[in-house]
Amino acid sequence: MPLSKILAPNFDLAMTLDSGQVFHWERTGNGFVGAIGNNAVYVEQRANSLATSGRQQEVRHYFALDHPLAEICASFPNDPVMNAAREFCRGLRIIRQPKWECLATFICSSMKQVAHIRQISKKLRERFGEARRFENQVVYSFPNPDRIGASSEKELRKCALGYRAKNLLATARHIASGEVDLEKLAQLPDVDLRARLCELPGVGAKVANCVMLFAYERLRAFPIDVWIERVLREKYFPRARKLNGARLTAFTGEYFGDHGGYAQQYLFHHARKSRAKISRKSNRAGFVTVSGVR
DNA sequence: CTCCAGGGATGAT
DNA sequence: ATCATCCATGGA
């Protein structure tokens, strides 16, 4: 299949796909295969462009190649922590994900590591989605709310969902029934959109902010998960007592500005990747771990 | 083996 | 209004 070329300066495909915002892309050959909506797509990074099997407009929109990344990064606060993350995450973009796919995936994300979320996404797709093909590879679309809603908690639990199955099922049914229209919610301002999302089972402030940032293009939305909270406490409030969630939310909303969600994603990815590297190095350098003593 | 993860809902202070 | 506890699962 012939690949078409898309100009894509200031974009790092591999880092973007590995940054914990989307969970179904897989490496193959020199690139990645995945689904954009219901279409199987292959994407490969070249020097200053992408080579892809997908429709150019669709790929450009999905990867948000129109975001003015230089301006966005320049709007971040100028402090040592943020500067290090900005440097580390060059070319990382916030993807425009389909709303239901993003919402459903993040309902499944609670108390799960990124690797687990990838497995859950894969199982949901394989069991309930539709097969699409790129050359000899099969990828699966994310099942729509009707398909998930027509399932059962028992069936969903087979996808390693655990206690999250009940929430995913209930939310799918709210949407399948037409009671909630995710597309229509896009008209609402941030505060109202967040409130409406939080009415759905399994959706709290953190998941709502992820969906706002990754699917509604609300670039101020600032999800606070365990990694970000650690960064905030250790780097921005070194010795603050009685620092609750409300105070952190107030601080991040004010301090990180109009593209706070982008700043958050850079802090998240930097923290996650650099900490993993340090612990591996420590082991290789010969530190005796507790389990090694046995 | 133990630890912990892109949390949310619920019930007790 | 804040805080503690429980909820399933599996990679590291």
Side-chain angles (χ1 to χ4, degrees):
Chain A
M1 180 179 282
L3 302 179
S4 63
K5 180 177 170 182
I6 302 175
L7 196 60
N10 207 352
F11 178 55
D12 189 323
L13 175 66
M15 183 159 57
T16 297
L17 292 180
D18 187 38
S19 68
Q21 46 178 322
V22 68
F23 303 92
H24 67 285
W25 290 85
E26 294 184 5
R27 275 192 182 280
T28 179
N30 295 320
F32 299 83
V33 286
I36 299 181
N38 288 323
N39 301 323
V41 174
Y42 172 83
V43 197
E44 175 182 320
Q45 177 122 38
R46 303 278 171 83
N48 226 7
S49 65
L50 296 177
T52 181
S53 68
R55 289 173 36 234
Q56 296 196 7
Q57 279 304 333
E58 182 180 50
V59 173
R60 192 177 296 135
H61 183 264
Y62 182 75
F63 289 112
L65 299 182
D66 56 309
H67 280 174
L69 199 56
E71 291 175 32
I72 289 171
C73 290
S75 79
F76 294 165
N78 179 16
D79 68 59
V81 180
M82 196 66 243
N83 291 342
R86 183 198 286 110
E87 182 69 22
F88 185 84
C89 297
R90 278 173 191 262
L92 173 53
R93 288 174 184 266
I94 303 289
I95 294 177
R96 289 191 185 93
Q97 294 183 46
K99 296 177 178 60
W100 162 247
E101 175 180 324
C102 182
L103 171 62
T105 304
F106 276 95
I107 285 174
C108 300
S109 76
S110 91
M111 293 301 293
K112 277 292 184 188
Q113 296 179 344
V114 170
H116 299 153
I117 303 169
R118 291 181 62 86
Q119 290 192 345
I120 290 171
S121 169
K122 180 171 178 150
K123 287 182 180 177
L124 285 172
R125 288 167 183 275
E126 286 177 353
R127 185 174 285 266
F128 302 110
E130 293 176 14
R132 294 288 187 272
R133 212 166 294 276
F134 167 73
E135 294 185 343
N136 61 342
Q137 311 217 35
V138 179
V139 305
Y140 292 86
S141 66
F142 194 86
N144 62 34
D146 305 82
R147 186 67 190 83
I148 300 268
S151 178
S152 66
E153 184 178 336
K154 188 175 178 183
E155 283 298 305
L156 291 175
R157 278 178 181 262
K158 293 179 181 172
C159 300
L161 280 175
Y163 63 88
R164 304 157 194 84
K166 183 186 292 185
N167 290 331
L168 180 62
L169 182 63
T171 290
R173 289 179 175 170
H174 281 298
I175 293 161
S177 71
E179 175 194 335
V180 175
D181 184 341
L182 291 181
E183 295 302 329
K184 210 167 179 182
L185 296 186
Q187 302 169 3
L188 298 174
D190 286 0
V191 176
D192 299 324
L193 173 58
R194 185 177 295 109
R196 292 298 302 278
L197 290 172
C198 285
E199 292 173 0
L200 295 166
V203 181
K206 191 271 173 182
V207 170
N209 280 321
C210 283
V211 176
M212 289 171 67
L213 178 60
F214 300 139
Y216 285 87
E217 213 175 356
R218 305 302 170 99
L219 301 185
R220 284 192 62 103
F222 197 104
I224 300 178
D225 74 320
V226 291
W227 288 93
I228 290 295
E229 181 165 347
R230 209 148 45 209
V231 170
L232 293 174
R233 288 181 183 278
E234 291 177 4
K235 309 288 189 181
Y236 289 91
F237 298 92
R239 68 190 73 216
R241 290 190 308 104
K242 148 170 140 48
L243 193 60
N244 56 24
R247 285 195 55 191
L248 288 178
T249 299
F251 167 73
T252 57
E254 185 268 330
Y255 182 74
F256 291 99
D258 284 339
H259 304 100
Y262 253 100
Q264 174 277 154
Q265 189 64 13
Y266 279 41
L267 292 172
F268 172 80
H269 186 66
H270 180 47
R272 221 167 63 83
K273 290 303 171 181
S274 53
R275 169 172 290 213
K277 219 173 289 175
I278 287 169
S279 74
R280 267 200 300 277
K281 266 185 195 164
S282 302
N283 287 340
R284 243 184 274 130
F287 284 82
V288 179
T289 62
V290 176
S291 61
V293 173
R294 286 180 45 82

